[in-house]
Each structure stands twice: as C-alpha cells, then as structure tokens.
Amino acid sequence: MSALFGNYTRRPIQLVKGKGTKVWDENGKTYLDFTSGIAVLSLGHANPILVETIKHQSELLWHTSNLFQNKYQEQLAEKLVKGTHLSHAFFCNSGTEANEAAIKLARKHTGKHKIITFLHSFHGRTFGAMSATGQEKVHSGFGPIVEKFEYLPYNDVEALLSAVDDETAAIMLEVVQGEGGVHVIAPEFAEAIQKVCEDKGILCIVDEVQTGIGRSGTPYAYMQTALKPHIVTLAKGLAGGFPIGAMLGTAELYDSFGPGTHGSTFGGNPLAMSVATAVINEIFDKTFLENVKKKSQYLKEKLVDALPETVEVRGMGFLQGITCENSSVIVDTAEKNGLLVVAAGENVVRLLPPLTVSYDEIDEAVAILQAIIPATTTVS
C-alpha cells in the first residue's frame, strides 16, 4: 500500500527523463509530451538555459525571506509589467496562492465582498480559490465555502449585467477556461465586462495562470481582448517548471496592500526569481512570440484538417481543446501510442505542448490523434 494519500488519479507510467518535448518512462519508452506538466514547462524539459540558471543561482543564494531587500524580485517585477498598464507585483508559489492574494486585495481595496465568477471556471483548491471556482464538484464535501461568490454562465452578457450591483467588488475570469473545457471568451463578452467595470468602478481580475507567459502567443492572453484588468494572476509557465506564482496589479491598488496585509515565506525566493527571469527573457522576445503564434495556428489548422467534421477544435495559442466522447479513453489510447495529452471538463482533450515544440513534433502528434479519434465523436 502506498504511503501517499490517494487524492490524485495517477496514470500507470512513471516518467524518468525529459528533453524538449520528449519524455521517457522507466521502461525506456518515448512519448511526445503535449501536457507540459499542465502548461508549466513553457520552454520544454531540461532546457539548458534554465538548467544553467539554477546551477548558477544555487551556488549564490537560495532563500533570504522577505525581511530583506530583494533585487531578484525587483528585476522580475519590472519585466512582467513592462509594456502593460500594470505597475506592481507580488510573488508567491502557485496559481492558487496568486488567486488568494487577488481575492484579498479586491475585497480590501473596494471594501466590498461580492465577487462574480463563472460556471466551469477553475481558480484553485484552497478555500478562497476553491470558492471562486464555478464547479460544484470542486466544492463537494468541504462544508460551507467562502461566501459572496456568484457564479454566472460564461459568455452570457445579459446574465452579467443583471448580476452586477452596488455590492460587487470584482469580476474574476479566465480568458480561456482551461480546466473547465477550453472555452474561449467571446469578444462581446470581454467588451461588456470592461465597460461595466469602468462604469461601476468594479475591479477586473484576470486569471492567467494557464494562459499567461506566451501560451496564447502574446505575453498575456487578455492582450488579445478588450479587457484591461486591474489584477492579473500568473503561475504555471512563469518559471518553466520551478514553483512560482505572481499577482500583478495597477498603481491604484498599491496602498491597499501595505505591510502586514499579505505574505509568503517562500514567495519570491532568489532561485524562483532567477529562473523566471530567464524564462521571461526568452519568451517575451518578439521573435519567440511570433513563432508561438505561427506554430500554434499551424497546430490548429492541422487538427481541423485531420480530425472528423463532428469534432470541434477550440482554444487560443498552444492551449487547444478537442471535443470528443469518452475523452478519458482518447487520453489513454494516445498515451499507448506515444502521445501525452490531458482531459479538460467532461468531453474535451486538451493539448498543451511546450512553446518550443517543433513543426515535425506537431505533425507527429496530429497523426496519432487522427488515428485514434473516431468519426462518430460528437461535439460537446
């Protein structure tokens, strides 16, 4: 019997080595990794730049706590807000922690408590982030959740306008609902959110934990919409596999997050900051992002051409979803054929390759999916 709790449904293989988009299991079998650790390994496995960065920083300084000045945090914060309307950063260790910080900041700054989120959203599993998540299965069994979250249908402008009132502190959303089924925000919905936030003095929180750091083809996915968020949360791909989370905010929020309001023992440690800075130096390069756009569009076009007409391919950048019955069966069959993918929602297979994936690797992955997704698959 395992000494681990059984809170994960684990696949039967154990991965022992990775390089770029490829991984190997303990028996030596090779796979194309189109999960990227669920959108984490933005620059692929064992990226030499990141390996060297960790080696170098580990010989200098690992941890100091936030009692002291930290140039590593300052440098990364400046890179993350450069070219945006955002001005300040808070660092933590995960997307859930970043969303907890966002919820606290929104309530403290506005003095209000109601936060609108959306059905099929996912914001994390701590009590605040879990309560923000619009999925009953995530809440089940834990008793009373944090109050004052209201869940609305995604992309429903009428429902949004009906729900907003004088007690609304913030609207919190994902530009692409990754865990909830790869649902992309409609342009008119983004416009409606932006307008109501401006008109009513409501904060806009965009959860970019899965979509941020180049995965959409721009530094942040909100940049491809009408949204101008007051708060943006990040994690996953920010340090290419090293644990990190971040919350970015506008200048008007600065005074609401003073000493003693929030903190993190490990957040902003020099190792995480150094690795994340190396990641940003690579990904925020214009040529790199242009290649992400081209390659992700190539992936989507190849999928549309190769898969049955009954299948819907939807997403943004290198976050693509394929609607199919029995998605768990497709995930298992793909694994047996040397391709690692992950489910999203009930009937969607999600593709999250490293941003460094090659055209040949895209072709190989599409060929595997073409061979295993049946023509009888229906759109969900």
Side-chain angles (χ1 to χ4, degrees), residues 289-318:
L289 288 170
E290 191 59 39
N291 283 332
V292 171
K293 288 180 182 178
K294 290 178 181 178
K295 288 189 292 184
S296 61
Q297 183 61 32
Y298 178 80
L299 169 63
K300 188 167 189 174
E301 291 173 355
K302 293 286 288 189
L303 288 169
V304 170
D305 290 343
L307 299 180
E309 292 183 359
T310 51
V311 167
E312 179 187 2
V313 180
R314 62 189 184 218
M316 181 183 287
F318 275 134

Side-chain angles (χ1 to χ4, degrees), residues 8 89 115 134 165 235 268 276 279 281 286 299 306 309 318 327-328 338 351 354 377:
Y8 297 111
I115 297 178
D165 57 28
V279 169
N281 287 342
K286 290 182 179 180
L299 169 63
E309 292 183 359
F318 275 134
S327 59
S328 60
L351 277 62
T377 297

